[in-house]
Structures are given as C-alpha cells and as structure tokens.
Amino acid sequence: MLPGRKAYWGSLELHTFHDASAVVSALSPDEPVILNRPHAAARAACFFAEKFPGKSLYAVKANPSPDLLRVLWASGVTHYDVASIAEVRLVRSVLPEAVLCFMHPVKARAAIAEAYKVHGVRVFSLDSHEELAKIVDATDAATDLSLCVRLRVSSEFSELSLASKFGVDLADAAPLLQATRQVADALGICFHVGSQAMTPFAYVQALERVRAAVVDAAVTVDIVDVGGGFPSIYPGMEPPPLEDYFGAIHRAAESLPVSYSSELWCEPGRALCAEYNSLIVKVEKTRGDELYINDGAYGALYDAAHVGWRFPVQCLTAGRSETLTGYSFYGPTCDDADYMEGPFMLPADIKAGDYIEIGMLGAYGAAMKTAFNGFGQASAIEVDDEPMASQYRGDRRDPRQSDNVVSLR
Ligand SMILES: *Cc1c(COP(=O)(O)O)cnc(C)c1O
C-alpha cells in the first residue's frame, strides 16, 4: 500500500458511514473493506448479560479484535475465554480488569505458568490427568484455582463439530473429577456441543451427561459451564430464538445434583460477534454463474470455502435486475481451492466492477482476514446500519422474505 494511501485510510478511522453503499460511493475501494457494527455487538452482549441465567464468558478466538473487546467490556462482558497465551496477553493488555479463563484443555507448561503468575489467571480447563499434573506443577500447587473438567459430548446437533478433539469420555470422567476435586478450590464441568448448535436439545442432552458424570464421581461441583455453540442466522440456518436455549439450559441445570451455590457459565463466541462485521468485495470477473471476487478462502471467507458455509449477500451497485441467480465465488489467489460454492443469491445481470456486501462475517471471518493479509484495523470502517440478520433486534423476519437468507434445505 502506498504511504499516501495508508494515511488516507487512516484518516477514515474516525469517520462513520451509514452503510456499505455509502462506503462504496465515497471510496470505490479496490481492496476488500471490513465493516464494523459496534452497536450490534453491544446489543448481543447486553442480551446475554440480561437473559442468560448465569455468567457469559466471551470466547475470544471467534474474533479477537481489540475494538470488539472494548465494545463487549463496555456492554457488561467481564469474563473472557482465552485459549492461547497470545490471547491471554492480548485481552490482559486491552482490558486490564477482565477475568480471564484459560479454557483450552491442552496447554504448554510455560503458558500456564505465565497466565497464573503474570496475568492473574485462576480458571483453567483440562481433560486428562497429565494436564491436571501440569497445572498443579506450573502454578506451584496453587490453592486458589478453579479447574473445569471438559467432558466429551455429542456434536450431532451442530454445524461444526468439536466432539473428536477434546473432552474426557464419560466412562473415564469419575477418577479425573475426583483427582481434580482434591486440588481445586472450585471444581467445574465444561463441554462444547459444537459451533452453531441448531437446537436447544444439544445442551439438554449434554447436561444429562454432566448429571451422569457428577453422580458417578460423587463430587461437589461448583461450576457448570455449557460452553459455546449458540447460533447466529445464516442462509439455510434459521435457529430457534436464543431465549429457547437459555430456558432449556436453565431448566436442565437447575435439576443437576450440584452445590446449591454453584454457578452456571456459558462461553459464546459466534453469538456475540457474528453480527459485528460484514465485508465489501468487488467483482473482478464473471464466468456464467461464477464470480471472481477480491477476497476468499485465505481471507474472511474461510468457512465459506472450507465447510461450504453460506453467508447473506447483497449487490451494492444500483440498477441491477431484481431477478436473482445462485452464484459461486472464486477468491483472488491462484489456486482452485480458493472457491466458495455458495449458492450466493445475487442479481442475474451482475457485472465486473460491481460491489457486493457479504454479511454476518464477524465470527471466524473478519478476524482471519485481518490476521492473514495484514489488512489491519485502519482499513476497517464503522457503519451504523443493521446487520443483514439479527438474533437480537426482536423482529425476526421470515428468512425467505428478507436478508437474502434463502433456505434451500
Ligand atoms: C470455540 C470455543 C467457544 C466458542 O464457540 P462458539 O461456537 O463460537 O460459540 C467456546 N468455548 C471453547 C472452549 C471453544 O473452543
């Protein structure tokens, strides 16, 4: 980027445009532009703070943008689920007062020691006796630890599985819970039902497994952490309202045989940040129902390429046909894998040079783009319009009529 250009972009940081169309009119950007919607992230955070029947930890890996972290903090999110020492340092530097919970069940000894001794981390997760020994050793047998045993649960109701990598099997959980109880100040049980869980039953079923584990181990449990997985809205994926999830979790957790003063936690990543970002891309070439655009698999569209995730889209160029066609996208790099199958519903007569806004990219999207291409914060622009879909605005519309959220299932 030319120095002059950089200064130009830098000066835009303070400028808020209304929406993507205003950005395109003013800048005709040749590079992709990330749009930030702080109001949408703040609304999501307030929703969890008010309605989740317990404490909400933001899962930082979903989007570690410092601007977003500050928005969530200002909206009442005090606890952060961090998964690497880099995330520990980042959140500690941006939010000095935040409570950090190191919820990756496999950590380096040095990471545990630094987290505990330098950054004041007291909450750790684990799923093996080796990790428990490592935590005890790295913290010099600290007596003020909250230790959460990660239980393996089913991912069958989620779009992205997190079932195979982490978690102790129910059959092996009792000895680990008992050993952890011996050294923990507070004992927790955590799990993750997989990302984008499409039914509250995923949590009910997982909490049944928690019940079996607690009964089996006959230990006092102080924290029940239902993890992440709370869904957002995407084309073909219209989940029930989050209140249904919270109600089902509340009822199932209330009936668990745990300490009456026990705490209920959750670790939303996607649900807190999906609505925070969208992306403006430019069409460089068309070939039938394939569009060559300037962002892709190595940018913000990782999930669109690798797991065929579909995102809502709209054409930002005026005067195009109302008739929509289902397109697939090619990204800017030279390999065939830089391909997003879609279908993405856009005007049948879209042309090279047109602009597209791709919505709902705040979770596992915009953050990856920034990191991979050095497309830093200076090039993100704030807008104040509504995200293309929302779990939080209280007017859930028919997905087939709005937001370009089309259901092909
Ligand atoms: C990724 C992750 C989360 C967040 O999951 P979402 O599906 O984005 O809500 C929460 N907890 C842990 C331990 C994770 O690894």
Side-chain angles (χ1 to χ4, degrees):
M1 194 180 275
L2 298 171
R5 180 81 187 282
K6 188 164 188 169
Y8 173 63
W9 279 101
S11 69
L12 290 168
E13 274 178 274
L14 298 175
H15 189 115
T16 298
F17 289 87
H18 173 53
D19 60 10
S21 296
V23 172
V24 166
S25 306
L27 307 174
S28 304
D30 282 329
E31 303 282 335
V33 177
I34 292 169
L35 303 181
N36 292 343
R37 289 180 178 76
H39 63 98
R43 181 169 62 187
C46 292
F47 185 95
F48 268 84
E50 272 171 36
K51 303 204 175 184
F52 182 76
K55 193 171 289 171
S56 304
L57 288 54
Y58 173 56
V60 173
K61 80 168 187 289
N63 188 332
S65 150
D67 288 341
L68 172 63
L69 294 174
R70 281 186 279 264
V71 170
L72 296 177
W73 174 260
S75 307
V77 178
T78 54
H79 288 53
Y80 293 78
D81 162 3
V82 283
S84 63
I85 194 63
E87 285 184 0
V88 171
R89 294 177 191 144
L90 169 76
V91 182
R92 182 50 79 229
S93 72
V94 176
L95 307 173
E97 315 270 295
V99 177
L100 305 185
C101 306
F102 207 154
M103 303 308 275
H104 194 304
V106 185
K107 298 168 285 299
R109 188 181 309 264
I112 298 167
E114 180 183 330
Y116 181 82
K117 293 172 186 170
V118 180
H119 304 291
V121 179
R122 295 295 177 264
V123 185
F124 296 89
S125 79
L126 61 122
D127 65 0
S128 67
H129 290 274
E130 294 92 314
E131 187 74 8
L132 179 60
K134 216 194 284 173
I135 292 170
V136 169
D137 185 53
T139 60
D140 304 326
T143 56
D144 57 353
L145 298 174
S146 294
L147 299 180
C148 296
V149 172
R150 169 98 167 244
L151 197 61
R152 183 200 297 269
V153 299
S154 165
S155 265
E156 65 187 300
F157 301 109
S158 302
E159 297 293 326
L160 291 175
S161 172
L162 280 92
S164 49
K165 197 166 177 181
F166 299 130
V168 61
D169 280 327
L170 179 56
D172 306 320
L176 184 58
L177 282 164
Q178 288 157 354
T180 306
R181 178 73 275 181
Q182 297 293 311
V183 296
D185 179 34
L187 173 65
I189 299 193
C190 60
F191 58 79
H192 199 301
V193 297
S195 204
Q196 185 76 3
M198 293 301 289
T199 163
F201 184 67
Y203 296 88
V204 174
Q205 182 176 274
L207 285 166
E208 276 313 306
R209 199 170 294 195
V210 168
R211 172 196 306 283
V214 175
V215 169
D216 224 25
V219 289
T220 305
V221 169
D222 309 298
I223 300 159
V224 175
D225 177 353
V226 301
F230 297 94
S232 188
I233 303 173
Y234 303 91
M237 289 191 260
E238 173 90 359
L242 288 174
E243 285 95 334
D244 292 5
Y245 290 73
F246 295 174
I249 289 168
H250 183 60
R251 284 188 297 278
E254 283 283 279
S255 72
L256 288 176
V258 293
S259 148
Y260 84 99
S261 59
S262 70
E263 294 187 18
L264 181 64
W265 294 5
C266 68
E267 305 167 355
R270 179 185 304 283
L272 287 182
C273 62
E275 300 176 19
Y276 179 61
N277 294 117
S278 62
L279 181 76
I280 298 172
V281 296
K282 191 174 183 182
V283 179
E284 303 291 4
K285 170 187 163 174
T286 66
R287 185 175 76 179
D289 58 5
E290 296 164 331
L291 302 180
Y292 291 67
I293 61 174
N294 60 354
D295 197 61
Y298 302 91
L301 299 175
Y302 183 94
D303 279 345
H306 292 94
V307 286
W309 207 274
R310 293 169 56 221
F311 294 91
V313 291
Q314 64 175 342
C315 179
L316 298 171
T317 304
R320 293 284 174 261
S321 166
E322 308 234 311
T323 308
L324 301 182
T325 294
Y327 290 95
S328 57
F329 293 157
Y330 275 110
T333 67
C334 297
D335 64 334
D336 284 0
D338 198 356
Y339 173 70
M340 286 64 62
E341 187 179 8
F344 302 99
M345 305 306 292
L346 288 159
D349 58 351
I350 197 163
K351 292 181 178 46
D354 287 359
Y355 289 94
I356 299 168
E357 182 180 18
I358 307 175
M360 311 303 284
L361 279 171
Y364 310 106
M368 305 183 84
K369 161 83 183 151
T370 349
F372 282 132
N373 291 7
F375 192 73
Q377 286 303 304
S379 333
I381 292 178
E382 195 172 314
V383 290
D384 62 13
D385 67 337
E386 278 293 317
M388 286 195 200
S390 180
Q391 290 273 59
Y392 307 106
R393 103 189 128 203
D395 63 340
R396 294 280 296 272
R397 296 180 283 173
D398 183 334
R400 286 150 303 181
Q401 305 296 314
S402 66
D403 296 339
N404 197 15
V405 177
V406 289
S407 180
L408 297 180
R409 287 194 182 174

